[in-house]
PDB file of all heavy atoms in Angstrom:
ATOM      1  N   VAL A  22      83.005  96.509 104.916  1.00 97.00           N
ATOM      2  CA  VAL A  22      82.704  96.713 103.505  1.00 97.00           C
ATOM      3  C   VAL A  22      81.240  96.600 103.339  1.00 97.00           C
ATOM      4  O   VAL A  22      80.582  95.642 103.664  1.00 97.00           O
ATOM      5  CB  VAL A  22      83.361  95.593 102.685  1.00 97.00           C
ATOM      6  CG1 VAL A  22      82.847  95.592 101.281  1.00 97.00           C
ATOM      7  CG2 VAL A  22      84.825  95.698 102.700  1.00 97.00           C
ATOM      8  N   GLY A  23      80.574  97.750 102.926  1.00 96.00           N
ATOM      9  CA  GLY A  23      79.164  97.722 102.794  1.00 96.00           C
ATOM     10  C   GLY A  23      78.768  98.808 101.825  1.00 96.00           C
ATOM     11  O   GLY A  23      79.543  99.238 100.961  1.00 96.00           O
ATOM     12  N   LEU A  24      77.453  99.215 101.888  1.00 95.00           N
ATOM     13  CA  LEU A  24      76.975 100.260 100.971  1.00 95.00           C
ATOM     14  C   LEU A  24      77.779 101.433 100.974  1.00 95.00           C
ATOM     15  O   LEU A  24      78.046 102.168  99.948  1.00 95.00           O
ATOM     16  CB  LEU A  24      75.465 100.490 101.336  1.00 95.00           C
ATOM     17  CG  LEU A  24      74.565  99.244 101.295  1.00 95.00           C
ATOM     18  CD1 LEU A  24      73.204  99.691 101.854  1.00 95.00           C
ATOM     19  CD2 LEU A  24      74.468  98.829  99.838  1.00 95.00           C
ATOM     20  N   GLY A  25      78.370 101.874 102.163  1.00 93.00           N
ATOM     21  CA  GLY A  25      79.166 103.081 102.261  1.00 93.00           C
ATOM     22  C   GLY A  25      80.365 103.003 101.314  1.00 93.00           C
ATOM     23  O   GLY A  25      80.718 104.016 100.812  1.00 93.00           O
ATOM     24  N   ASN A  26      80.949 101.907 101.095  1.00 93.00           N
ATOM     25  CA  ASN A  26      82.087 101.792 100.236  1.00 93.00           C
ATOM     26  C   ASN A  26      81.707 102.019  98.804  1.00 93.00           C
ATOM     27  O   ASN A  26      82.451 102.582  97.983  1.00 93.00           O
ATOM     28  CB  ASN A  26      82.700 100.342 100.334  1.00 93.00           C
ATOM     29  CG  ASN A  26      83.243 100.038 101.642  1.00 93.00           C
ATOM     30  OD1 ASN A  26      82.570 100.047 102.601  1.00 93.00           O
ATOM     31  ND2 ASN A  26      84.642  99.679 101.708  1.00 93.00           N
ATOM     32  N   ILE A  27      80.447 101.606  98.502  1.00 91.00           N
ATOM     33  CA  ILE A  27      80.130 101.564  97.028  1.00 91.00           C
ATOM     34  C   ILE A  27      79.562 102.941  96.532  1.00 91.00           C
ATOM     35  O   ILE A  27      79.892 103.476  95.597  1.00 91.00           O
ATOM     36  CB  ILE A  27      79.097 100.431  96.727  1.00 91.00           C
ATOM     37  CG1 ILE A  27      79.866  99.114  97.123  1.00 91.00           C
ATOM     38  CG2 ILE A  27      78.697 100.488  95.277  1.00 91.00           C
ATOM     39  CD1 ILE A  27      79.020  97.905  97.250  1.00 91.00           C
ATOM     40  N   TRP A  28      78.664 103.440  97.415  1.00 85.00           N
ATOM     41  CA  TRP A  28      78.037 104.687  96.885  1.00 85.00           C
ATOM     42  C   TRP A  28      78.600 105.950  97.612  1.00 85.00           C
ATOM     43  O   TRP A  28      78.469 107.057  97.160  1.00 85.00           O
ATOM     44  CB  TRP A  28      76.497 104.758  96.890  1.00 85.00           C
ATOM     45  CG  TRP A  28      75.912 105.074  98.312  1.00 85.00           C
ATOM     46  CD1 TRP A  28      76.372 106.035  99.160  1.00 85.00           C
ATOM     47  CD2 TRP A  28      74.823 104.486  98.824  1.00 85.00           C
ATOM     48  NE1 TRP A  28      75.578 106.043 100.218  1.00 85.00           N
ATOM     49  CE2 TRP A  28      74.609 105.147 100.001  1.00 85.00           C
ATOM     50  CE3 TRP A  28      73.920 103.462  98.423  1.00 85.00           C
ATOM     51  CZ2 TRP A  28      73.481 104.789 100.858  1.00 85.00           C
ATOM     52  CZ3 TRP A  28      72.843 103.211  99.152  1.00 85.00           C
ATOM     53  CH2 TRP A  28      72.667 103.760 100.395  1.00 85.00           C
ATOM     54  N   GLY A  29      79.295 105.812  98.734  1.00 88.00           N
ATOM     55  CA  GLY A  29      79.804 106.889  99.434  1.00 88.00           C
ATOM     56  C   GLY A  29      81.185 107.268  99.073  1.00 88.00           C
ATOM     57  O   GLY A  29      81.466 108.404  98.535  1.00 88.00           O
ATOM     58  N   PHE A  30      82.130 106.354  99.173  1.00 91.00           N
ATOM     59  CA  PHE A  30      83.530 106.673  99.090  1.00 91.00           C
ATOM     60  C   PHE A  30      83.878 107.196  97.695  1.00 91.00           C
ATOM     61  O   PHE A  30      84.471 108.353  97.608  1.00 91.00           O
ATOM     62  CB  PHE A  30      84.405 105.502  99.346  1.00 91.00           C
ATOM     63  CG  PHE A  30      85.837 105.679  99.364  1.00 91.00           C
ATOM     64  CD1 PHE A  30      86.461 106.231 100.455  1.00 91.00           C
ATOM     65  CD2 PHE A  30      86.571 105.492  98.187  1.00 91.00           C
ATOM     66  CE1 PHE A  30      87.843 106.455 100.363  1.00 91.00           C
ATOM     67  CE2 PHE A  30      87.941 105.676  98.155  1.00 91.00           C
ATOM     68  CZ  PHE A  30      88.530 106.216  99.243  1.00 91.00           C
ATOM     69  N   PRO A  31      83.526 106.514  96.569  1.00 87.00           N
ATOM     70  CA  PRO A  31      84.023 106.983  95.224  1.00 87.00           C
ATOM     71  C   PRO A  31      83.529 108.443  94.933  1.00 87.00           C
ATOM     72  O   PRO A  31      84.268 109.215  94.480  1.00 87.00           O
ATOM     73  CB  PRO A  31      83.336 105.990  94.291  1.00 87.00           C
ATOM     74  CG  PRO A  31      83.003 104.810  95.028  1.00 87.00           C
ATOM     75  CD  PRO A  31      82.726 105.289  96.410  1.00 87.00           C
ATOM     76  N   ASN A  32      82.248 108.670  95.320  1.00 82.00           N
ATOM     77  CA  ASN A  32      81.771 110.029  94.960  1.00 82.00           C
ATOM     78  C   ASN A  32      82.394 111.138  95.923  1.00 82.00           C
ATOM     79  O   ASN A  32      82.714 112.160  95.477  1.00 82.00           O
ATOM     80  CB  ASN A  32      80.292 110.080  95.146  1.00 82.00           C
ATOM     81  CG  ASN A  32      79.767 111.452  94.905  1.00 82.00           C
ATOM     82  OD1 ASN A  32      80.174 112.158  94.033  1.00 82.00           O
ATOM     83  ND2 ASN A  32      78.773 111.835  95.800  1.00 82.00           N
ATOM     84  N   LYS A  33      82.476 110.757  97.165  1.00 87.00           N
ATOM     85  CA  LYS A  33      83.112 111.745  98.145  1.00 87.00           C
ATOM     86  C   LYS A  33      84.507 112.157  97.686  1.00 87.00           C
ATOM     87  O   LYS A  33      84.984 113.179  97.737  1.00 87.00           O
ATOM     88  CB  LYS A  33      82.964 111.237  99.533  1.00 87.00           C
ATOM     89  CG  LYS A  33      81.606 111.357 100.013  1.00 87.00           C
ATOM     90  CD  LYS A  33      81.440 110.789 101.470  1.00 87.00           C
ATOM     91  CE  LYS A  33      79.949 110.765 101.846  1.00 87.00           C
ATOM     92  NZ  LYS A  33      79.669 109.939 103.036  1.00 87.00           N
TER      93      LYS A  33
END
Side-chain angles (χ1 to χ4, degrees):
V22 171
L24 299 173
N26 295 58
I27 298 164
W28 81 42
F30 184 86
N32 175 43
K33 286 179 187 163

